[in-house]
Amino acid sequence: MLELTGHVAVVTGANHGIGAAVARRLAAQGAGVLVSYLRLPPLADPSLPAAYDEARTGGAGAVVAAISAAGGRVVAHEADLTDAAAIAALFDVAERDLGPVDIVVNNASGWKADTFLPQRADAFGRGVAPLSAATVGVDARAGALVIAELAHRLVARGGRWGRIVGLTSGGPDGFPGEASYGAAKAALENYTMTAARELAGFGVTANTVHPPVTDTGWITGAVRDFVAGDDHHTHVADPDEVAGVVAWLCSDAARLVSGNVLRLR
């Protein structure tokens, strides 16, 4: 029931962290996977582990090598998702090298901590910028265009099966210190819920996954202490744990699950 042989997935932001874990898991279940990524400029924030910056600024070579070594089908494509033309190009590359895309995982983020307040550091000492809405271009707009591209191509070819999964954060009460990020994720949730309803007749399910605090390289001792003492958090998750849920949503085992925000603990 978790078999994905014959399916093709586009996973954005998949050169590290949750995206990389999702790409590996989907490939292990038989899907061909396009690893979309963008090498980002260094954050140069001394409060964050150096390894996190290295992962964000690096390519997708390690992910591709791991999937290939395990016998999976994979191709990597670097794309700036703030460029609308880059979305269609992702699908063109995937179709050329792997086949028609019927799974998309909107994981990429233009995350930048920003705030309405004059403060320039959060409770963990991480830098916070004045509100700029820079995140919206990737998390909301690009995510919506990825869904639209999948829908357009799937319907045009008469497809009757598809999976859309988005990664979200924040919540209806806002996201202090990460204002634009929280707002962009709320928009992505809404786009995904609309897709669940509009595309259901084509065999498409659409859900978003709200991971717990996940160790994608940015976790510090202060963050672990916060999680341990906060009533709203259970533990710090590993990216592979989150990837397991995403992969399940992409499988036939979850064919009745659509239009949900799954909050993981």
Side-chain angles (χ1 to χ4, degrees):
M1 292 290 283
L2 299 182
E3 178 69 35
L4 290 172
T5 299
H7 297 292
V8 174
V10 168
V11 184
T12 65
N15 56 327
H16 71 105
I18 292 173
V22 168
R24 292 192 299 267
R25 182 65 67 94
L26 294 180
Q29 291 179 198
V33 179
L34 182 139
V35 173
S36 166
Y37 71 99
L38 179 66
R39 288 169 289 184
L40 297 171
L43 288 169
D45 188 335
S47 69
L48 293 169
Y52 182 59
D53 240 3
E54 292 173 8
R56 294 176 76 257
T57 59
V63 181
V64 170
I67 292 173
S68 297
R73 296 192 304 137
V74 62
V75 61
H77 183 71
E78 184 165 17
D80 181 353
L81 299 183
T82 62
D83 176 5
I87 308 298
L90 284 180
F91 284 74
D92 289 341
V93 172
E95 289 183 356
R96 182 193 69 201
D97 295 344
L98 300 169
V101 176
D102 50 12
I103 300 171
V104 294
V105 179
N106 276 317
N107 171 74
S109 178
W111 176 85
K112 183 176 183 181
D114 63 0
T115 178
F116 295 108
L117 297 172
Q119 67 191 48
R120 293 296 167 259
D122 66 11
F124 304 111
R126 299 177 300 176
V128 181
L131 190 95
S132 66
T135 298
V136 174
V138 176
D139 296 70
R141 180 172 176 266
L145 292 177
V146 166
I147 294 172
E149 193 70 24
L150 171 73
H152 169 73
R153 296 189 185 217
L154 186 145
V155 172
R157 67 173 182 266
R160 305 298 299 178
W161 189 100
R163 298 291 185 267
I164 297 165
V165 182
L167 277 295
T168 189
S169 192
D173 294 328
F175 205 160
E178 300 180 39
S180 295
Y181 179 62
K185 289 300 188 184
L188 179 61
E189 287 180 22
N190 205 274
Y191 281 129
T192 305
M193 296 306 101
T194 298
R197 296 178 64 181
E198 292 189 345
L199 301 177
F202 298 93
V204 176
T205 67
N207 297 280
T208 56
V209 174
H210 190 305
V213 175
T214 304
D215 191 357
T216 58
W218 64 276
I219 301 295
T220 63
V223 173
R224 289 188 183 277
D225 289 343
F226 167 77
V227 170
D230 186 78
D231 292 339
H232 297 289
H233 297 85
T234 303
H235 72 296
V236 175
D238 182 271
D240 286 329
E241 295 179 286
V242 180
V245 177
V246 173
W248 176 75
L249 286 171
C250 292
S251 73
D252 283 335
R255 69 185 183 86
L256 300 181
V257 181
S258 191
N260 297 281
V261 178
L262 281 71
R263 189 176 183 97
L264 311 184
R265 296 291 186 182

PDB file of all heavy atoms in Angstrom, residues 100 111 155 185 203 207 226 231 246 254-255:
ATOM      1  N   PRO A 100       5.692  11.658 -16.328  1.00  0.00           N
ATOM      2  CA  PRO A 100       4.694  12.641 -15.894  1.00  0.00           C
ATOM      3  C   PRO A 100       4.635  12.764 -14.365  1.00  0.00           C
ATOM      4  O   PRO A 100       4.582  11.768 -13.655  1.00  0.00           O
ATOM      5  CB  PRO A 100       3.374  12.082 -16.443  1.00  0.00           C
ATOM      6  CG  PRO A 100       3.788  11.194 -17.575  1.00  0.00           C
ATOM      7  CD  PRO A 100       5.093  10.601 -17.166  1.00  0.00           C
ATOM      8  N   TRP A 111      12.341  31.245   4.172  1.00  0.00           N
ATOM      9  CA  TRP A 111      12.304  31.649   5.574  1.00  0.00           C
ATOM     10  C   TRP A 111      13.268  32.782   5.895  1.00  0.00           C
ATOM     11  O   TRP A 111      14.436  32.755   5.527  1.00  0.00           O
ATOM     12  CB  TRP A 111      12.637  30.460   6.480  1.00  0.00           C
ATOM     13  CG  TRP A 111      12.703  30.829   7.934  1.00  0.00           C
ATOM     14  CD1 TRP A 111      11.682  30.901   8.808  1.00  0.00           C
ATOM     15  CD2 TRP A 111      13.883  31.184   8.684  1.00  0.00           C
ATOM     16  NE1 TRP A 111      12.122  31.277  10.055  1.00  0.00           N
ATOM     17  CE2 TRP A 111      13.465  31.469  10.007  1.00  0.00           C
ATOM     18  CE3 TRP A 111      15.231  31.304   8.350  1.00  0.00           C
ATOM     19  CZ2 TRP A 111      14.353  31.849  11.002  1.00  0.00           C
ATOM     20  CZ3 TRP A 111      16.123  31.699   9.338  1.00  0.00           C
ATOM     21  CH2 TRP A 111      15.671  31.958  10.656  1.00  0.00           C
ATOM     22  N   VAL A 155      -4.618  17.251 -15.511  1.00  0.00           N
ATOM     23  CA  VAL A 155      -5.933  17.297 -16.145  1.00  0.00           C
ATOM     24  C   VAL A 155      -5.788  17.194 -17.665  1.00  0.00           C
ATOM     25  O   VAL A 155      -6.559  16.494 -18.338  1.00  0.00           O
ATOM     26  CB  VAL A 155      -6.687  18.583 -15.747  1.00  0.00           C
ATOM     27  CG1 VAL A 155      -7.966  18.734 -16.557  1.00  0.00           C
ATOM     28  CG2 VAL A 155      -7.000  18.569 -14.253  1.00  0.00           C
ATOM     29  N   LYS A 185       2.872  30.601   5.172  1.00  0.00           N
ATOM     30  CA  LYS A 185       2.447  29.217   5.376  1.00  0.00           C
ATOM     31  C   LYS A 185       0.926  29.120   5.493  1.00  0.00           C
ATOM     32  O   LYS A 185       0.316  28.148   5.030  1.00  0.00           O
ATOM     33  CB  LYS A 185       3.117  28.644   6.624  1.00  0.00           C
ATOM     34  CG  LYS A 185       4.606  28.380   6.466  1.00  0.00           C
ATOM     35  CD  LYS A 185       4.892  27.392   5.347  1.00  0.00           C
ATOM     36  CE  LYS A 185       6.354  26.982   5.316  1.00  0.00           C
ATOM     37  NZ  LYS A 185       6.642  26.092   4.147  1.00  0.00           N
ATOM     38  N   GLY A 203      -8.959  12.379  -8.702  1.00  0.00           N
ATOM     39  CA  GLY A 203      -8.221  11.425  -7.892  1.00  0.00           C
ATOM     40  C   GLY A 203      -7.049  12.023  -7.141  1.00  0.00           C
ATOM     41  O   GLY A 203      -6.126  11.311  -6.741  1.00  0.00           O
ATOM     42  N   ASN A 207      -2.965  17.717   1.194  1.00  0.00           N
ATOM     43  CA  ASN A 207      -2.865  17.911   2.644  1.00  0.00           C
ATOM     44  C   ASN A 207      -1.637  18.728   2.975  1.00  0.00           C
ATOM     45  O   ASN A 207      -0.690  18.814   2.180  1.00  0.00           O
ATOM     46  CB  ASN A 207      -2.751  16.552   3.355  1.00  0.00           C
ATOM     47  CG  ASN A 207      -3.969  15.667   3.165  1.00  0.00           C
ATOM     48  OD1 ASN A 207      -4.975  15.834   3.827  1.00  0.00           O
ATOM     49  ND2 ASN A 207      -3.869  14.707   2.239  1.00  0.00           N
ATOM     50  N   PHE A 226      13.949  24.816  25.487  1.00  0.00           N
ATOM     51  CA  PHE A 226      12.619  25.405  25.331  1.00  0.00           C
ATOM     52  C   PHE A 226      11.577  24.329  25.058  1.00  0.00           C
ATOM     53  O   PHE A 226      10.501  24.305  25.668  1.00  0.00           O
ATOM     54  CB  PHE A 226      12.635  26.422  24.191  1.00  0.00           C
ATOM     55  CG  PHE A 226      11.262  26.850  23.744  1.00  0.00           C
ATOM     56  CD1 PHE A 226      10.520  27.750  24.490  1.00  0.00           C
ATOM     57  CD2 PHE A 226      10.708  26.332  22.578  1.00  0.00           C
ATOM     58  CE1 PHE A 226       9.249  28.132  24.089  1.00  0.00           C
ATOM     59  CE2 PHE A 226       9.435  26.708  22.165  1.00  0.00           C
ATOM     60  CZ  PHE A 226       8.709  27.608  22.921  1.00  0.00           C
ATOM     61  N   ASP A 231       4.625  23.381  27.116  1.00  0.00           N
ATOM     62  CA  ASP A 231       3.461  22.489  27.099  1.00  0.00           C
ATOM     63  C   ASP A 231       2.967  22.160  25.690  1.00  0.00           C
ATOM     64  O   ASP A 231       2.264  21.168  25.490  1.00  0.00           O
ATOM     65  CB  ASP A 231       2.300  23.114  27.886  1.00  0.00           C
ATOM     66  CG  ASP A 231       2.577  23.196  29.383  1.00  0.00           C
ATOM     67  OD1 ASP A 231       3.458  22.433  29.837  1.00  0.00           O
ATOM     68  OD2 ASP A 231       1.939  24.001  30.067  1.00  0.00           O
ATOM     69  N   VAL A 246       4.842  12.239   5.386  1.00  0.00           N
ATOM     70  CA  VAL A 246       4.633  12.776   4.041  1.00  0.00           C
ATOM     71  C   VAL A 246       4.513  11.637   3.027  1.00  0.00           C
ATOM     72  O   VAL A 246       3.623  11.635   2.168  1.00  0.00           O
ATOM     73  CB  VAL A 246       5.781  13.728   3.647  1.00  0.00           C
ATOM     74  CG1 VAL A 246       5.646  14.153   2.190  1.00  0.00           C
ATOM     75  CG2 VAL A 246       5.801  14.953   4.553  1.00  0.00           C
ATOM     76  N   ALA A 254      -3.342   6.267   2.020  1.00  0.00           N
ATOM     77  CA  ALA A 254      -3.948   7.515   2.501  1.00  0.00           C
ATOM     78  C   ALA A 254      -4.925   8.105   1.488  1.00  0.00           C
ATOM     79  O   ALA A 254      -5.194   9.309   1.514  1.00  0.00           O
ATOM     80  CB  ALA A 254      -2.852   8.527   2.819  1.00  0.00           C
ATOM     81  N   ARG A 255      -5.486   7.274   0.637  1.00  0.00           N
ATOM     82  CA  ARG A 255      -6.332   7.800  -0.438  1.00  0.00           C
ATOM     83  C   ARG A 255      -7.598   8.483   0.072  1.00  0.00           C
ATOM     84  O   ARG A 255      -8.195   9.300  -0.638  1.00  0.00           O
ATOM     85  CB  ARG A 255      -6.692   6.681  -1.420  1.00  0.00           C
ATOM     86  CG  ARG A 255      -7.631   5.623  -0.854  1.00  0.00           C
ATOM     87  CD  ARG A 255      -7.832   4.475  -1.851  1.00  0.00           C
ATOM     88  NE  ARG A 255      -8.779   3.486  -1.341  1.00  0.00           N
ATOM     89  CZ  ARG A 255     -10.087   3.565  -1.491  1.00  0.00           C
ATOM     90  NH1 ARG A 255     -10.614   4.603  -2.122  1.00  0.00           N
ATOM     91  NH2 ARG A 255     -10.883   2.619  -1.018  1.00  0.00           N
TER      92      ARG A 255
END
